[in-house]
Amino acid sequence: MEDFLWIKNDEKRSMMQSLYKQAKEDRVPILLDEAAKVIDSWLLLLKPDRILEVGAAVGYSAIRMALVSPNSKIDTIEKDPERAREARSNIQQFELVGQIVLHEGDALELIPEMTEEYDLVFIDAAKGQYGRFFEDSIKRIRPGGVVICDNMLFHGFVEAEEVPKRYRTMIKKLKAFHETLRNHPDLETRILSIDDGISISVKRG
Ligand SMILES: C[S@@+](CC[C@H](N)C(=O)[O-])C[C@H]1O[C@@H](n2cnc3c(N)ncnc32)[C@H](O)[C@@H]1O
């Protein structure tokens, strides 16, 4: 269980604990604790000016990144209107409107329209679409920038011999995405077997 003791401000820590608890109770699939700490560490090292997140849900990971890295500007995309509404409200409550911009809509339509250059892209949306999110967002990452993807092992099914029928197409696409990362000429990638599997790719400078 995350305690958020790293948040020094008592009020913000208590708000974060409530947001986390509520998301778990509502079964919103937020970033798991160990993967979150890996991302915290990259933020602390990289000090990114600009972050793009694909898949905001209710804003937990975007708010967490904003608190860990207060000088980063974050664009986050969410296509589910109800979740986008909750994310917007949470961002307001944390007084992070100046730091996080929530874009409501389908990332597959929104990313190609974006013109900013990002230091870090965090992909955490529909797993079967990772290849497409990646192809769009890699163009927006500066040399030396980082792409982090969550759920890369998807409950162990990516490495399992037997995959339930309902997941087969998605796992096939996720496996193809592993190959894309592994063979990409501009990237150096590692996949960590923590939580649901997290990949870290650094774009060569
Ligand atoms: C795993 S949740 C994100 C959790 C969030 N990053 C966190 O840790 O707090 C994935 C979210 O991606 C959204 N999503 C899925 N496909 C999307 C797309 N094509 N464009 C934008 N959002 C998408 C879903 O609606 C869902 O809320």
Side-chain angles (χ1 to χ4, degrees):
M1 250 333 226
E2 172 66 277
D3 52 24
F4 300 102
L5 289 176
W6 51 270
I7 302 177
K8 306 290 184 259
N9 178 299
D10 291 342
E11 191 193 351
K12 291 275 157 68
R13 188 187 324 112
S14 156
M15 285 167 67
M16 200 58 175
Q17 285 162 342
S18 304
L19 172 59
Y20 177 86
K21 191 163 164 275
Q22 192 64 51
K24 297 267 179 198
E25 278 173 19
D26 295 343
R27 297 182 178 273
V28 179
I30 60 169
L31 187 58
L32 295 174
D33 300 344
E34 298 306 306
K37 288 177 206 162
V38 170
I39 297 180
D40 291 353
S41 311
W42 275 90
L43 294 175
L44 294 167
L45 277 166
L46 202 62
K47 299 184 177 55
D49 289 333
R50 295 205 72 112
I51 298 171
L52 172 64
E53 176 182 64
V54 186
V58 296
Y60 165 73
S61 53
I63 290 168
R64 180 176 180 127
M65 289 193 284
L67 296 179
V68 172
S69 186
N71 294 322
S72 302
K73 293 271 278 181
I74 302 171
D75 287 302
T76 183
I77 307 175
E78 176 54 51
K79 78 168 183 186
D80 179 279
E82 180 57 22
R83 284 194 175 159
R85 192 191 59 72
E86 274 187 54
R88 206 170 279 118
S89 155
N90 287 329
I91 291 163
Q92 273 165 7
Q93 277 175 36
F94 275 84
E95 298 175 346
L96 290 169
V97 174
Q99 198 186 345
I100 303 174
V101 177
L102 181 92
H103 303 261
E104 184 177 337
D106 189 333
L108 294 172
E109 290 167 16
L110 295 180
I111 303 172
E113 290 171 3
M114 291 180 157
T115 53
E116 296 293 341
E117 189 170 65
Y118 292 95
D119 306 288
L120 188 144
V121 173
F122 173 45
I123 300 179
D124 188 19
K127 316 310 158 202
Q129 308 276 20
Y130 271 22
R132 295 180 64 197
F133 297 137
F134 170 79
E135 286 307 327
D136 289 337
S137 51
I138 187 74
K139 299 171 195 150
R140 307 255 57 85
I141 299 174
R142 69 159 172 82
V146 174
V147 188
I148 300 181
C149 304
D150 194 19
N151 309 104
M152 287 294 284
L153 300 176
F154 198 75
H155 312 319
F157 289 133
V158 170
E159 291 171 337
E161 288 186 11
E162 279 298 311
V163 176
K165 208 170 167 189
R166 68 186 184 282
Y167 291 144
R168 275 183 205 154
T169 306
M170 183 266 281
I171 294 295
K172 207 171 150 199
K173 287 185 179 171
L174 202 48
K175 278 183 170 172
F177 180 55
H178 278 233
E179 287 302 308
T180 302
L181 289 183
R182 212 184 324 267
N183 299 323
H184 199 290
D186 299 334
L187 295 177
E188 188 67 49
T189 297
R190 298 293 181 275
I191 297 175
L192 311 183
S193 305
I194 54 163
D195 288 338
D196 205 23
I198 186 165
S199 67
I200 315 271
S201 305
V202 179
K203 189 171 177 182
R204 294 196 175 93

